[in-house]
Amino acid sequence: MARVVVAGVLVAGSCAIGPTVWGAQQNEDVVVDLWADRDDDDANGIADGEQQELPVLARTDLSPVTASLVGARLRVASGGSGARVVTAAGRPLPWGSELPSGAFWQGLSPGRLEVTATTKQRGDVRIILNVSGFDMRDGEGARVDMATSHASLERTPPMRIEGGVDAPYDDFDALRVVVSVPDAMPADAPDLSVDSVSPLGARLDTIPRLRLVPAACARDSGGLRCWASAPIRLVVDDQDRNHPLVKDRSIKATLGGAIVFRRGGHKAQMIRVLGPRSSPAGPIGLLRASLRSVVLRVTPGGVPAIGGNDASAVSALRSELGAASAIWGQCGVTFGDPSSLEVRVVDPPPPHLVSIGDGLGIRASGGELRLRVDGKTLVVVTRAGETPGAVALEMTRVAERAGFSCQVSSNATIAPGLGPSADVSFRRRDRTLATADRDPNAPLSTDATLTVRIGSVDLSDGLEHFADMDSMAGTLEERTLLKAIDDGAPALIEVVVVPLFEGGGRIGESFIASDRSSLRNIVVLDRAGIRARKSSLTLAHELGHVLMDLPGHPDDYGVDTPTLLMDSDAAEESPFGPRRISLEECARVVRESGPGSPAPLLVAVPIAPVPVHQ
Ligand SMILES: [Zn+2]
């Protein structure tokens, strides 16, 4: 008997176009190759083959029933539950019904089905449905459900996988493909290619031919031949993709996208790429942080800290943000599409900030403070025993009477301090920053114990940065800079790029929530921190302190693991450099900054279907 193979037919939208090559003679077998439809093309969390109603988006893997069978009655001769017929309206059709036009075949489980179609013109036609199975398996051999679970980005440095295709391996993220094919199909390994696509369906990377070797089939799967691949790693850059140890089994991928497997160019099945499948805080899907970024000019109106001009500064920082976002994809965290991230180039602020009790936070003993704001003289009388915070409020009242609007913030008590100091930022009524200076003919303060200082920012000699002792409050120059930029929006992370830090050595720093300072969720890096990206991922590292609300580093207390992003001093431009994030660290991000945390920095992004061509 001749065989007419109908497979991998394009389905465009809800309009199925049947194969026009149909030219069967009477009594030819119709042979249809299908995949058990275990993936979730419509992203509703249910395998497409389990849905009782299939919206258009869930029909990607269906194969149109040839038009010549319209009106026939179908009867299962053997292998009944391995496939079904779905109507043009997306409803399963019971066997025995009359076949309407526009129907589809859908594979459900691997095996061979024989169906008899009783037609009016040609009598009985035998239909063979060869349903292949497609599974993803983890390092312990457990099945990873393509509908209720997902694939994740690699957090293990390249390594050799020992043993055969059934051997366990110690890599949480890499997954093997296991394919089971009915005996009746060709005995060669299936010709599978692998595409990695973005959330919008754009192709990012390809493995043109996935190497498959014979593997044992699961018990009770008679009539099938099985093949397995090496564990496939999903990576974010060429460094990790092209290392000799793993280049045959690595593919670049992005969070929210998908890995699409194809046989003969036609889509077989797909798996979504999200955060870790499981972690101490549960499975992690897709979480988005909102970042707002500024690049400082060295002087007012001068060149930006990076890039040489404004446009290059914006694109340099966006590229940095894109790299940091890709790395945090390991935890299911994205910072959004880098090309649309807001980046502003701004002047250093004027001296708008006055610090009361700066340093140790010693209380007032009585006296007078005198300063000028935009040229207007302000006088504040202090009384013995007043806290810096009380004096700051009094200064605000005086300033408001003079037509200013102030922002008062208290600072964390620094290590040797007696209490918190307080900062007053002077603003005009239109919220622009005012300029404070001292009266040239009078002391700033006659109070013997209360320290009063006007902050100023001079980036040409480097930003004076905090040390261990005042890390929680920041230096006066840092506070003057950052309080000019930070509008206090609690769910935002600010990224600030300065030309350089004073003294050399430091290339990035962060202000985190647990410092209990008014400065929080801020990352500062300098141009050396941007330059060190390939070896140290400075921005991603500093964002880690903020997202985890973690002041320390894993190597401060424990074993030095130079492959961890949060290692304090590792620098290496290779897949063995500091770029990996542990599951425990991902879980900490969810607990400290996730949607359910007390001060969330991350929102859960709904999982959307990925447009994939068949
Ligand atoms: Zn650090």
Side-chain angles (χ1 to χ4, degrees):
M1 268 187 192
R3 288 158 50 107
V4 177
V5 177
V6 181
V9 178
L10 293 174
V11 181
S14 62
C15 168
I17 298 149
T20 53
V21 292
W22 174 258
Q25 311 280 301
Q26 202 162 4
N27 295 334
E28 277 183 338
D29 280 358
V30 175
V31 180
V32 182
D33 293 342
L34 297 168
W35 288 94
D37 199 0
R38 305 292 311 168
D39 65 5
D40 178 23
D41 289 305
D42 59 346
N44 68 346
I46 302 170
D48 299 331
E50 282 174 17
Q51 291 186 211
Q52 283 315 300
E53 216 166 306
L54 282 95
V56 171
L57 288 169
R59 298 184 204 167
T60 307
D61 303 319
L62 274 52
S63 177
V65 178
T66 178
S68 67
L69 292 177
V70 170
R73 285 190 190 276
L74 302 179
R75 186 163 41 83
V76 178
S78 67
S81 58
R84 63 181 177 179
V85 177
V86 175
T87 66
R91 295 226 164 70
L93 185 76
W95 296 114
S97 316
E98 187 174 303
L99 195 67
S101 67
F104 305 92
W105 303 110
Q106 184 179 36
L108 301 178
S109 59
R112 179 179 187 271
L113 269 83
E114 206 177 303
V115 176
T116 307
T118 307
T119 65
K120 289 188 182 104
Q121 292 85 20
R122 296 186 290 139
D124 284 1
V125 174
R126 192 162 75 137
I127 301 163
I128 307 295
L129 302 175
N130 285 317
V131 184
S132 300
F134 189 97
D135 270 330
M136 305 294 292
R137 296 196 182 266
D138 69 12
E140 287 162 359
R143 189 167 156 263
V144 173
D145 193 293
M146 293 178 288
T148 58
S149 189
H150 50 262
S152 52
L153 296 171
E154 190 60 50
R155 71 197 63 248
T156 307
M159 63 172 182
R160 203 180 300 282
I161 300 282
E162 310 285 352
V165 288
D166 302 317
Y169 56 87
D170 190 17
D171 180 334
F172 176 90
D173 303 290
L175 301 176
R176 281 191 206 281
V177 168
V178 178
V179 177
S180 41
V181 175
D183 277 341
M185 292 186 69
D188 307 335
D191 176 12
L192 286 192
S193 61
V194 188
D195 278 352
S196 170
V197 297
S198 76
L200 296 175
R203 190 196 286 178
L204 303 171
D205 198 2
T206 297
I207 300 176
R209 178 151 195 160
L210 186 65
R211 205 172 97 81
L212 294 168
V213 298
C217 292
R219 265 180 297 145
D220 74 355
S221 55
L224 296 173
R225 258 195 298 264
C226 296
W227 279 271
S229 74
I232 301 173
R233 309 165 78 241
L234 310 185
V235 300
V236 298
D237 57 25
D238 289 323
Q239 264 183 44
D240 215 1
R241 163 109 162 75
N242 295 335
H243 192 274
L245 272 178
V246 291
K247 69 175 170 17
D248 297 332
R249 58 183 187 91
S250 298
I251 186 168
K252 282 193 278 184
T254 190
L255 209 57
I259 303 300
V260 181
F261 298 88
R262 298 179 183 279
R263 178 165 62 184
H266 299 293
K267 182 187 169 232
Q269 293 278 278
M270 66 95 133
I271 187 164
R272 235 171 290 286
V273 182
L274 298 171
R277 299 187 309 279
S278 66
S279 82
I284 305 176
L286 185 50
L287 299 168
R288 185 168 53 223
S290 294
L291 265 53
R292 203 169 45 184
S293 309
V294 298
V295 177
L296 268 299
R297 297 182 195 284
V298 180
T299 54
V303 290
I306 51 170
N309 61 56
D310 287 17
S312 303
V314 170
S315 78
L317 185 50
R318 281 191 177 145
S319 139
E320 197 66 22
L321 291 162
S325 187
I327 286 293
W328 275 98
Q330 289 173 64
C331 290
V333 172
T334 177
F335 306 138
D337 172 14
S339 63
S340 62
L341 287 176
E342 182 194 335
V343 175
R344 287 177 302 142
V345 180
V346 301
D347 284 341
H352 66 104
L353 189 107
V354 174
S355 175
I356 319 270
D358 187 50
L360 298 176
I362 298 172
R363 288 171 183 236
S365 47
E368 187 186 89
L369 317 183
R370 181 179 288 265
L371 67 155
R372 298 187 309 187
V373 178
D374 279 355
K376 287 187 192 169
T377 299
L378 305 182
V379 178
V380 178
V381 176
T382 62
R383 281 176 287 271
E386 267 183 317
T387 61
V391 175
L393 286 177
E394 178 57 20
M395 184 175 282
T396 300
R397 279 190 285 270
V398 170
E400 276 168 1
R401 280 199 291 272
F404 296 100
S405 155
C406 296
Q407 209 161 292
V408 177
S409 51
S410 77
N411 299 307
T413 304
I414 65 170
L418 303 173
S421 61
D423 293 333
V424 180
S425 165
F426 290 97
R427 316 274 172 125
R428 303 183 188 107
R429 284 272 148 86
D430 64 2
R431 307 299 298 151
T432 55
L433 299 170
T435 297
D437 65 354
R438 53 189 305 168
D439 185 331
N441 305 314
L444 191 54
S445 168
T446 61
D447 191 301
T449 49
L450 190 71
T451 324
V452 179
R453 291 171 69 200
I454 298 173
S456 64
V457 175
D458 178 3
L459 296 177
S460 61
D461 63 354
L463 179 66
E464 188 190 340
H465 61 74
F466 63 71
D468 284 351
M469 212 172 65
D470 58 2
S471 66
M472 52 295 280
T475 65
L476 179 57
E477 189 176 28
E478 284 172 325
R479 300 200 312 269
T480 307
L481 173 63
L482 300 177
K483 287 180 179 179
I485 292 165
D486 181 21
D487 70 352
L492 272 180
I493 302 175
E494 307 267 3
V495 173
V496 179
V497 179
V498 298
L500 72 160
F501 289 103
E502 192 188 65
R506 181 166 306 191
I507 57 176
E509 62 181 23
S510 47
F511 294 85
I512 64 177
S514 60
D515 287 341
R516 310 217 166 284
S517 159
S518 51
L519 291 180
R520 57 177 61 186
N521 308 329
I522 302 174
V523 164
V524 186
L525 56 163
D526 75 0
R527 56 167 84 108
I530 302 261
R531 258 188 243 121
R533 181 223 287 186
K534 289 209 165 88
S535 57
S536 303
L537 290 162
T538 313
L539 176 57
H541 173 102
E542 296 301 338
L543 287 167
H545 284 299
V546 170
L547 291 169
M548 281 190 263
D549 193 12
L550 182 72
H553 301 99
D555 48 325
D556 294 345
Y557 330 101
V559 192
D560 197 29
T561 311
T563 53
L564 284 178
L565 175 67
M566 296 312 293
D567 188 276
S568 68
D569 53 7
E572 183 179 329
E573 190 179 337
S574 92
F576 299 94
R579 49 172 31 236
R580 313 290 169 181
I581 308 173
S582 72
L583 281 178
E584 184 46 59
E585 288 170 326
C586 294
R588 186 177 171 121
V589 166
V590 172
R591 287 191 218 107
E592 297 296 333
S593 303
S597 67
L601 291 172
L602 299 166
V603 294
V605 180
I607 307 307
V610 175
V612 171
H613 79 88
Q614 282 72 50

